[in-house]
């Protein structure tokens, strides 16, 4: 026997083997459709008896295995069912002849046979026959199951007659010697009259009768015969048949202890009413009839328990039987199947370590040169058995070998699809899942090196299958989940391979469904780059919305009582972590800042990076960035424009890296710090931009109120001078500007002001409202400064007594000289203009103009915007010497002075001289 049956289990010893085969040309789909209905009749209650017959169906069975039917009767084909198509009466004789030829293949062992003919109608089909059933079509065959039950009853009749014939002791008749195929030549010329030979014949026949009793549903009788066979065969050292007797004893004991079966696949044993054998089912029923029709008393139960092996003894006898099989090289298949049966029993007993020893022995059993298909089957069954005993990694190991065998070089057409399917089945054994979420929950499980090897094999199998989408998905998974275990060179190799595949088939976020229904979830690149923090940014100060006080005063929540509850407090704390205390505005550009890190040893190019949001319609403006190798934390700002109002939630971001599009959700990013994800989007507001007639100031105002000033301007005035500040108000938004309120306040000054410092007429500006988008309105502010300079004594420096020319006396502010020089103050000698004097006579005023404006839908909701303008004013006294120069002297004591004097209209200037040396000036506030 050369073909092992890896699906064998101990309870198969009580089954009758029936082969179902097609005759002629039968469509495969139609054949298996009928085969499925036939094989559903797997156990039948014998009429007028409490016995149950179990049937094992095969659609293919090697004839050479049938030759071992005397050794173990469950290997003997006792029934044949053939299925054929016949459309006309002319084809019938030929069809019937093929049926007889098919029977001859198993003729020496067959008890009975049946032929099911589909498609033939007429006179032939109407003739009553026991061995042939005619059906018009595959859809019109309602009584197939009933015919199978009748067929099984005919098998039982033959089986029972053989059992009775073999079990009856016929004194004087010689008992034939049962042999296995390879033994026949060894017994030629033996003395058949010797006592040793007779014991051998008796022992083998006892064992054979035990098999028949077991098949006939007589469990107790089979146990008795097996025990007698063991004693007889042990005495003559007939080890091969002794092993078979021990295995039969084990099988009968297993059926007694585990009536539900050990194969796992035979769930129907318990599900179909008569799952337990009649004897097992009536085991504890007083007065129940046995198969012999005798009342089952306690003595029968005691006798059965005595002959039956205990669960521990079953395994010991299996070991002994396997050791005897191992003495014969031609019994390798028997030994292998016995190991498999023992493993299934040990799996029921949850004795995993002992089961692994049997499996290890099965691995090293040498059989003939197996075909590639047989090798695949062998490794697959070993994998299944290791899985049953809880050796998951060992199971995955053998299943992976089976997968590699599917694509062996010796196969003309490698089965890459079968290889890929088997590789997928090995994943759980290596603690590997194709869902990236399983790798973001904690520490890494399993051997990373083995997992990476397996993922590479999946990629290769996918490529050989011609499925680039699968290649991209598995490579993406490898890069995302095994990034920490890849060397720098491996990172480069994987990314290069990924880019070559995505050039043909870009990676997407769609679920890939395999033909067998398995779904491969998308793999977002949350580690390329790694995001450490996410922060939602407030709008710039000039664009931030403010709530009108009149509406704020109506807010009921500020007046609600405080009630403490630990549950509510917890939820409030979580809400604080998620809620943002500022608002975004519809139609305005909003920003989210990410701190990212590039873990790759080379420059990482991230394309199409944008925000993922829910709640409102949001237009994300994608960005592209290039991160240096192992860059460290790097700030990235992502922007977008909310198109509608409501509560917006920033769920994550999307990227395109190495041709793979990823949607990265913040919930799937462990350890990411965020200031919250939810922010309110209020209705659109207008946007105001201001420009003035004054130059920008180098001085930046720092008001105590904390207001942020968008623009600072500067002006220099003489005390008492008035100047207009022309401000242009431009609506650069998309909503009309309807309301405007202007306020001013002086900051950071201790000077005493006389009169109004800043004044304006707002009505002239409001008459230009509503200001439509793109339009400009003019707003004029009058600046008038009037300060007290009377306390200043050191206003001017002493003039030189020797008559040296002093030009460009630095008495006015440097800003005036550099930025806004008057014509009359241009220095004559630029080289001395940089000399620094005393500027204590210059006084400074600072003020803030605040523009509160509103309009559009936001105005209806009670929101406005505020824009601040900083004004820096430098005030100088009314009278200055801006140029004093000497003319050539005509005599020793005479000197003419040319005076350029600026005099305001408010004070009278008087000049007097003394001895042509001292010059006295009187000009209102000061005298020198």
């Amino acid at each position: 026997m050369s073909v092992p049956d890896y699906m064998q289990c101990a309870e198969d010893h009580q089954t009758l083997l029936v082969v179902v085969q097609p005759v002629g040309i039968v469509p495969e789909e139609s054949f298996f459709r009928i085969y499925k209905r036939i094989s559903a009749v797997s156990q039948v209650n014998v009429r007028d008896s409490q016995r149950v017959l179990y049937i094992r169906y095969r659609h293919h069975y090697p004839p050479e295995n049938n030759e071992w039917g005397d050794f173990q009767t469950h290997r003997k084909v006792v029934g044949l069912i053939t299925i054929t198509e016949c459309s006309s009466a002319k084809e019938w004789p030929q069809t019937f002849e093929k049926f007889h030829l098919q029977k001859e293949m198993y003729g020496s062992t067959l008890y009975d046979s049946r032929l099911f003919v589909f498609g033939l109608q007429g006179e032939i089909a109407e003739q009553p026959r026991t061995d042939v059933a005619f059906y018009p079509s595959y859809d019109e065959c309602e009584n197939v199951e009933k015919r199978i039950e009748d067929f099984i009853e005919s098998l039982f009749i033959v089986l029972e007659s053989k059992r009775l014939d073999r079990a009856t002791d016929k004194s004087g008749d010689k008992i034939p010697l049962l042999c296995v195929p390879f033994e026949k030549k060894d017994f030629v010329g033996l003395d058949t009259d010797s006592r040793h030979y007779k014991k051998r014949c008796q022992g083998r026949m006892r064992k054979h009768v035990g098999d028949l009793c077991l098949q006939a549903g007589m469990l107790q009788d089979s146990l008795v015969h097996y025990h007698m066979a063991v004693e007889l065969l042990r005495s003559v050292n007939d080890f091969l048949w002794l092993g078979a007797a021990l295995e039969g004893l084990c099988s009968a004991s297993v059926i007694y202890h585990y009536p539900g079966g050990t194969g796992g696949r035979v769930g129907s044993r318990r599900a179909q009413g008569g799952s337990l054998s009649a004897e097992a089912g009536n085991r504890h029923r007083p007065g129940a009839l046995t198969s012999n029709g005798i009342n089952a008393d306690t003595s029968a139960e005691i006798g059965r328990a005595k002959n039956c092996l205990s669960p521990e003894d079953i395994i010991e006898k299996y070991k002994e039987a396997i050791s005897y099989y191992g003495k014969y090289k031609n019994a390798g298949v028997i030994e292998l199947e016995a190991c498999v049966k023992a493993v299934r029993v040990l799996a029921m007993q949850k004795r995993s370590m002992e089961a692994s020893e049997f499996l290890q022995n099965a691995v090293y059993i040498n059989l003939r040169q197996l075909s590639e298909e047989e090798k695949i089957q062998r490794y697959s069954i070993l994998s299944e058995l290791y899985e049953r005993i809880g050796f998951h990694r060992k199971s995955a190991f053998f299943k992976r070998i089976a997968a590699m065998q599917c694509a062996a070089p010796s196969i003309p057409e490698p089965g890459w699809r079968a290889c890929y399917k088997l590789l997928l089945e090995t994943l759980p054994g290596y603690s590997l899942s194709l869902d990236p979420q399983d790798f973001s929950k904690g520490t890494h499980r399993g051997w990373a090196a083995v997992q990476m090897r397996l993922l590479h094999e999946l990629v290769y199998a996918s490529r050989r299958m011609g499925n680039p989408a699968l290649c991209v998905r598995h490579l993406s998974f490898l890069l995302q989940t095994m990034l920490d275990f890849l060397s720098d060179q491996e990172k480069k190799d994987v990314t290069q391979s990924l880019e070559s595949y995505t050039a043909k088939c870009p990676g997407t976020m769609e679920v890939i469904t395999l033909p067998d229904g398995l779904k491969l979830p998308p793999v977002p690149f949350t580690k390329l780059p790694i995001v450490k923090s996410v922060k939602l940014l407030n709008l710039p100060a000039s664009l931030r919305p403010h709530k009108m006080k009149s509406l704020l005063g109506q807010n009921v929540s500020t007046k609600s009582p405080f009630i403490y509850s630990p549950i509510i407090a917890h939820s409030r704390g979580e809400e604080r972590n998620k809620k943002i205390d500022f608002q975004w505005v519809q139609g305005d550009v909003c920003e989210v800042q990410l701190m990212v890190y590039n873990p790759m040893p080379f420059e990482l190019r991230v394309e199409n990076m944008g925000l993922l949001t829910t709640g409102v319609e949001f237009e994300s403006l994608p960005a592209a960035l290039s991160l240096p190798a192992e860059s460290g934390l790097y700030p990235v700002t992502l922007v977008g424009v909310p198109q509608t109002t409501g509560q917006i939630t920033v769920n994550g971001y999307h990227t395109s890296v190495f041709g793979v599009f990823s949607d990265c959700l913040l919930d799937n990013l462990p350890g990411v710090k965020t200031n919250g994800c939810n922010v309110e989007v209020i209705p659109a507001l207008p946007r105001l931009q201001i420009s003035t007639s004054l130059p920008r100031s180098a001085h930046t105002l720092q008001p105590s109120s904390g207001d942020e000033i968008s623009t600072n301007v500067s002006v220099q005035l003489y005390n008492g001078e008035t100047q207009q500040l022309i401000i242009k108000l431009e609506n650069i938004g998309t909503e009309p500007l309807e309301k405007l309120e202007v306020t001013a306040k002086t900051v950071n000054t201790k000077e005493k002001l006389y009169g109004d410092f800043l004044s304006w007429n707002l009505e002239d500006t409001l008459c230009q409202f509503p200001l439509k988008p793109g339009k400009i309105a003019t707003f004029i502010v009058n600046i008038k400064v009037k300060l007290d300079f009377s306390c200043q004594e050191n206003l001017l420096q002493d003039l030189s007594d020797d008559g040296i020319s002093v030009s460009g006396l630095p008495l006015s502010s440097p800003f005036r000289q550099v930025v806004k020089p008057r014509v009359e103050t241009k220095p004559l000698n630029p080289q001395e203009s940089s000399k620094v004097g005393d500027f204590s006579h210059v006084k400074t005023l600072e003020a803030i103009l605040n523009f509160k404006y509103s309009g559009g839908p936001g105005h209806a909701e009670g929101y406005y915007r505020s824009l601040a303008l900083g004004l820096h004013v430098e005030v100088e006294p009314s009278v200055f010497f801006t140029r004093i120069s000497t003319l050539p002297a005509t005599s020793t004591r005479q000197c003419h002075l040319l005076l350029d004097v600026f005099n305001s209209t408010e004070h009278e200037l008087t000049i007097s001289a003394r001895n042509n040396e001292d010059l006295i000036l009187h000009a209102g506030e000061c005298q020198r």
Side-chain angles (χ1 to χ4, degrees), residues 462-463 466-476 495-510 512 525 656-661:
S462 303
R463 183 173 70 84
N467 195 331
L470 277 181
C471 298
V472 172
R473 182 59 50 88
H474 292 312
L475 270 178
S476 302
T495 53
Q496 287 175 0
S497 299
L498 184 59
E499 286 180 319
S500 66
Y501 286 124
T502 53
K504 304 175 184 176
C505 180
T508 65
M509 288 297 293
E510 297 179 359
I512 297 178
F525 278 156
S656 175
V657 181
F658 305 127
V660 178
F661 295 91

Short mmCIF file of all heavy atoms in Angstrom, two decimals, residues 462-463 466-476 495-510 512 525 656-661:
data_model
loop_
_atom_site.label_atom_id
_atom_site.label_comp_id
_atom_site.label_asym_id
_atom_site.label_seq_id
_atom_site.Cartn_x
_atom_site.Cartn_y
_atom_site.Cartn_z
N SER A 462 2.32 36.98 -4.75
CA SER A 462 1.38 37.91 -5.38
C SER A 462 1.88 38.35 -6.74
O SER A 462 1.10 38.47 -7.69
CB SER A 462 1.16 39.13 -4.47
OG SER A 462 0.71 38.73 -3.19
N ARG A 463 3.17 38.59 -6.84
CA ARG A 463 3.73 39.02 -8.13
C ARG A 463 3.61 37.90 -9.16
O ARG A 463 3.26 38.15 -10.32
CB ARG A 463 5.20 39.43 -7.95
CG ARG A 463 5.84 39.95 -9.23
CD ARG A 463 7.22 40.49 -8.95
NE ARG A 463 8.17 39.45 -8.62
CZ ARG A 463 8.83 38.73 -9.52
NH1 ARG A 463 8.64 38.91 -10.81
NH2 ARG A 463 9.69 37.80 -9.13
N GLY A 466 0.40 37.63 -10.72
CA GLY A 466 0.03 38.73 -11.60
C GLY A 466 -0.92 39.72 -10.96
O GLY A 466 -1.77 40.31 -11.65
N ASN A 467 -0.78 39.95 -9.66
CA ASN A 467 -1.67 40.86 -8.94
C ASN A 467 -0.83 41.94 -8.26
O ASN A 467 -0.44 41.81 -7.11
CB ASN A 467 -2.48 40.08 -7.89
CG ASN A 467 -3.65 40.88 -7.37
OD1 ASN A 467 -3.61 42.11 -7.33
ND2 ASN A 467 -4.70 40.18 -6.95
N PRO A 468 -0.52 43.05 -8.97
CA PRO A 468 0.32 44.09 -8.37
C PRO A 468 -0.33 44.78 -7.18
O PRO A 468 0.37 45.27 -6.29
CB PRO A 468 0.56 45.06 -9.53
CG PRO A 468 -0.57 44.81 -10.48
CD PRO A 468 -0.91 43.37 -10.35
N ALA A 469 -1.67 44.84 -7.15
CA ALA A 469 -2.34 45.48 -6.01
C ALA A 469 -2.02 44.74 -4.72
O ALA A 469 -1.82 45.36 -3.66
CB ALA A 469 -3.84 45.53 -6.25
N LEU A 470 -1.99 43.39 -4.78
CA LEU A 470 -1.62 42.61 -3.59
C LEU A 470 -0.17 42.86 -3.20
O LEU A 470 0.16 42.94 -2.01
CB LEU A 470 -1.84 41.12 -3.85
CG LEU A 470 -3.26 40.58 -3.67
CD1 LEU A 470 -3.29 39.09 -3.95
CD2 LEU A 470 -3.76 40.86 -2.27
N CYS A 471 0.70 42.98 -4.19
CA CYS A 471 2.11 43.27 -3.89
C CYS A 471 2.23 44.58 -3.13
O CYS A 471 2.96 44.68 -2.12
CB CYS A 471 2.92 43.34 -5.19
SG CYS A 471 2.95 41.81 -6.13
N VAL A 472 1.54 45.60 -3.61
CA VAL A 472 1.60 46.91 -2.96
C VAL A 472 1.06 46.83 -1.54
O VAL A 472 1.65 47.38 -0.60
CB VAL A 472 0.82 47.95 -3.78
CG1 VAL A 472 0.71 49.27 -3.03
CG2 VAL A 472 1.48 48.17 -5.13
N ARG A 473 -0.05 46.10 -1.36
CA ARG A 473 -0.65 46.02 -0.02
C ARG A 473 0.27 45.30 0.96
O ARG A 473 0.46 45.76 2.10
CB ARG A 473 -2.00 45.30 -0.14
CG ARG A 473 -2.78 45.17 1.18
CD ARG A 473 -3.09 46.54 1.81
NE ARG A 473 -3.68 47.47 0.91
CZ ARG A 473 -4.99 47.59 0.69
NH1 ARG A 473 -5.83 46.79 1.31
NH2 ARG A 473 -5.45 48.52 -0.13
N HIS A 474 0.88 44.19 0.54
CA HIS A 474 1.76 43.45 1.45
C HIS A 474 3.07 44.20 1.71
O HIS A 474 3.58 44.18 2.84
CB HIS A 474 2.05 42.06 0.88
CG HIS A 474 0.86 41.16 0.87
ND1 HIS A 474 0.03 40.99 1.95
CD2 HIS A 474 0.33 40.37 -0.12
CE1 HIS A 474 -0.93 40.14 1.66
NE2 HIS A 474 -0.77 39.74 0.41
N LEU A 475 3.61 44.86 0.70
CA LEU A 475 4.83 45.65 0.92
C LEU A 475 4.53 46.83 1.84
O LEU A 475 5.36 47.19 2.70
CB LEU A 475 5.38 46.14 -0.41
CG LEU A 475 6.39 45.22 -1.12
CD1 LEU A 475 6.81 45.82 -2.44
CD2 LEU A 475 7.62 44.97 -0.25
N SER A 476 3.39 47.46 1.66
CA SER A 476 3.01 48.57 2.55
C SER A 476 2.88 48.08 3.98
O SER A 476 3.33 48.74 4.92
CB SER A 476 1.68 49.18 2.08
OG SER A 476 1.77 49.65 0.75
N THR A 495 11.52 50.20 -0.02
CA THR A 495 10.90 51.39 -0.61
C THR A 495 11.12 51.43 -2.12
O THR A 495 10.22 51.86 -2.86
CB THR A 495 11.46 52.66 0.05
OG1 THR A 495 12.90 52.65 -0.02
CG2 THR A 495 11.03 52.74 1.50
N GLN A 496 12.27 50.98 -2.58
CA GLN A 496 12.50 50.94 -4.03
C GLN A 496 11.55 49.95 -4.71
O GLN A 496 10.97 50.24 -5.76
CB GLN A 496 13.95 50.58 -4.32
CG GLN A 496 14.94 51.69 -4.00
CD GLN A 496 16.39 51.25 -4.19
OE1 GLN A 496 16.66 50.11 -4.57
NE2 GLN A 496 17.33 52.15 -3.93
N SER A 497 11.37 48.79 -4.08
CA SER A 497 10.43 47.81 -4.63
C SER A 497 9.01 48.36 -4.63
O SER A 497 8.25 48.20 -5.60
CB SER A 497 10.48 46.51 -3.83
OG SER A 497 11.77 45.93 -3.87
N LEU A 498 8.67 49.04 -3.54
CA LEU A 498 7.32 49.60 -3.44
C LEU A 498 7.08 50.65 -4.51
O LEU A 498 6.01 50.68 -5.14
CB LEU A 498 7.12 50.19 -2.04
CG LEU A 498 5.73 50.74 -1.72
CD1 LEU A 498 4.68 49.65 -1.87
CD2 LEU A 498 5.70 51.31 -0.30
N GLU A 499 8.05 51.50 -4.76
CA GLU A 499 7.88 52.53 -5.79
C GLU A 499 7.76 51.91 -7.18
O GLU A 499 7.02 52.42 -8.03
CB GLU A 499 9.05 53.51 -5.73
CG GLU A 499 9.00 54.45 -4.54
CD GLU A 499 10.18 55.42 -4.51
OE1 GLU A 499 11.30 54.97 -4.81
OE2 GLU A 499 9.96 56.60 -4.20
N SER A 500 8.47 50.82 -7.42
CA SER A 500 8.37 50.18 -8.73
C SER A 500 6.99 49.56 -8.93
O SER A 500 6.45 49.58 -10.05
CB SER A 500 9.45 49.10 -8.87
OG SER A 500 9.22 48.04 -7.96
N TYR A 501 6.37 49.04 -7.86
CA TYR A 501 5.03 48.46 -7.99
C TYR A 501 3.97 49.56 -8.09
O TYR A 501 3.01 49.43 -8.86
CB TYR A 501 4.72 47.56 -6.79
CG TYR A 501 5.45 46.23 -6.81
CD1 TYR A 501 6.26 45.83 -5.76
CD2 TYR A 501 5.32 45.36 -7.89
CE1 TYR A 501 6.92 44.62 -5.77
CE2 TYR A 501 5.98 44.15 -7.92
CZ TYR A 501 6.79 43.78 -6.85
OH TYR A 501 7.44 42.58 -6.88
N THR A 502 4.11 50.62 -7.30
CA THR A 502 3.10 51.68 -7.33
C THR A 502 3.14 52.46 -8.63
O THR A 502 2.17 53.15 -8.96
CB THR A 502 3.29 52.64 -6.15
OG1 THR A 502 4.65 53.13 -6.14
CG2 THR A 502 3.00 51.95 -4.83
N ALA A 503 4.25 52.39 -9.36
CA ALA A 503 4.27 53.03 -10.68
C ALA A 503 3.26 52.37 -11.61
O ALA A 503 2.72 53.02 -12.53
CB ALA A 503 5.68 52.95 -11.27
N LYS A 504 2.97 51.09 -11.39
CA LYS A 504 1.98 50.38 -12.21
C LYS A 504 0.60 50.38 -11.55
O LYS A 504 -0.42 50.44 -12.24
CB LYS A 504 2.43 48.93 -12.42
CG LYS A 504 3.81 48.79 -13.04
CD LYS A 504 4.23 47.32 -13.09
CE LYS A 504 5.64 47.18 -13.62
NZ LYS A 504 6.10 45.75 -13.60
N CYS A 505 0.58 50.31 -10.22
CA CYS A 505 -0.70 50.22 -9.51
C CYS A 505 -0.56 50.97 -8.19
O CYS A 505 -0.03 50.42 -7.22
CB CYS A 505 -1.07 48.75 -9.26
SG CYS A 505 -2.63 48.53 -8.38
N PRO A 506 -1.00 52.24 -8.13
CA PRO A 506 -0.85 53.02 -6.89
C PRO A 506 -1.59 52.37 -5.72
O PRO A 506 -2.64 51.73 -5.90
CB PRO A 506 -1.47 54.38 -7.26
CG PRO A 506 -1.46 54.42 -8.75
CD PRO A 506 -1.61 53.02 -9.21
N GLY A 507 -1.03 52.54 -4.55
CA GLY A 507 -1.69 52.02 -3.35
C GLY A 507 -2.85 52.89 -2.94
O GLY A 507 -2.76 54.13 -2.97
N THR A 508 -3.95 52.27 -2.54
CA THR A 508 -5.16 52.99 -2.18
C THR A 508 -5.60 52.60 -0.78
O THR A 508 -5.01 51.73 -0.14
CB THR A 508 -6.29 52.70 -3.18
OG1 THR A 508 -6.65 51.31 -3.09
CG2 THR A 508 -5.85 53.02 -4.61
N MET A 509 -6.68 53.25 -0.32
CA MET A 509 -7.26 52.94 0.98
C MET A 509 -8.48 52.03 0.84
O MET A 509 -9.27 51.91 1.76
CB MET A 509 -7.66 54.23 1.69
CG MET A 509 -6.49 55.05 2.20
SD MET A 509 -5.52 54.18 3.45
CE MET A 509 -6.70 54.09 4.79
N GLU A 510 -8.61 51.37 -0.29
CA GLU A 510 -9.74 50.47 -0.49
C GLU A 510 -9.42 49.08 0.07
O GLU A 510 -8.27 48.63 0.04
CB GLU A 510 -10.07 50.36 -1.98
CG GLU A 510 -10.52 51.67 -2.61
CD GLU A 510 -10.81 51.51 -4.09
OE1 GLU A 510 -10.64 50.37 -4.60
OE2 GLU A 510 -11.20 52.50 -4.73
N ILE A 512 -9.19 45.21 -0.11
CA ILE A 512 -8.99 44.23 -1.18
C ILE A 512 -9.67 42.92 -0.76
O ILE A 512 -9.37 42.38 0.30
CB ILE A 512 -7.50 44.00 -1.46
CG1 ILE A 512 -6.84 45.30 -1.95
CG2 ILE A 512 -7.32 42.88 -2.48
CD1 ILE A 512 -5.36 45.15 -2.21
N PHE A 525 0.11 54.77 6.10
CA PHE A 525 1.49 54.99 6.55
C PHE A 525 1.49 56.00 7.70
O PHE A 525 1.79 57.18 7.53
CB PHE A 525 2.34 55.51 5.39
CG PHE A 525 2.85 54.42 4.49
CD1 PHE A 525 3.20 54.70 3.18
CD2 PHE A 525 2.98 53.13 4.93
CE1 PHE A 525 3.67 53.71 2.33
CE2 PHE A 525 3.44 52.12 4.10
CZ PHE A 525 3.78 52.41 2.81
N SER A 656 0.54 60.99 0.59
CA SER A 656 0.95 60.12 -0.51
C SER A 656 2.45 59.95 -0.41
O SER A 656 3.21 60.90 -0.64
CB SER A 656 0.55 60.72 -1.86
OG SER A 656 1.05 59.92 -2.91
N VAL A 657 2.87 58.74 0.00
CA VAL A 657 4.29 58.44 0.20
C VAL A 657 4.63 57.18 -0.59
O VAL A 657 3.93 56.16 -0.47
CB VAL A 657 4.61 58.23 1.70
CG1 VAL A 657 6.10 57.95 1.89
CG2 VAL A 657 4.19 59.44 2.51
N PHE A 658 5.66 57.26 -1.41
CA PHE A 658 6.10 56.13 -2.25
C PHE A 658 4.97 55.63 -3.15
O PHE A 658 4.90 54.44 -3.47
CB PHE A 658 6.63 54.98 -1.40
CG PHE A 658 7.73 55.36 -0.46
CD1 PHE A 658 7.65 55.06 0.90
CD2 PHE A 658 8.85 56.05 -0.92
CE1 PHE A 658 8.66 55.42 1.77
CE2 PHE A 658 9.87 56.40 -0.05
CZ PHE A 658 9.78 56.09 1.29
N GLY A 659 4.06 56.51 -3.53
CA GLY A 659 2.96 56.12 -4.41
C GLY A 659 1.79 55.47 -3.69
O GLY A 659 0.87 54.98 -4.33
N VAL A 660 1.80 55.45 -2.36
CA VAL A 660 0.72 54.86 -1.57
C VAL A 660 -0.06 55.98 -0.91
O VAL A 660 0.50 56.79 -0.16
CB VAL A 660 1.27 53.90 -0.50
CG1 VAL A 660 0.14 53.33 0.34
CG2 VAL A 660 2.05 52.77 -1.16
N PHE A 661 -1.36 56.04 -1.18
CA PHE A 661 -2.23 57.04 -0.57
C PHE A 661 -2.72 56.51 0.78
O PHE A 661 -3.20 55.38 0.88
CB PHE A 661 -3.42 57.34 -1.48
CG PHE A 661 -3.03 57.98 -2.78
CD1 PHE A 661 -2.77 57.20 -3.89
CD2 PHE A 661 -2.89 59.35 -2.89
CE1 PHE A 661 -2.39 57.77 -5.10
CE2 PHE A 661 -2.51 59.94 -4.10
CZ PHE A 661 -2.26 59.15 -5.20
#
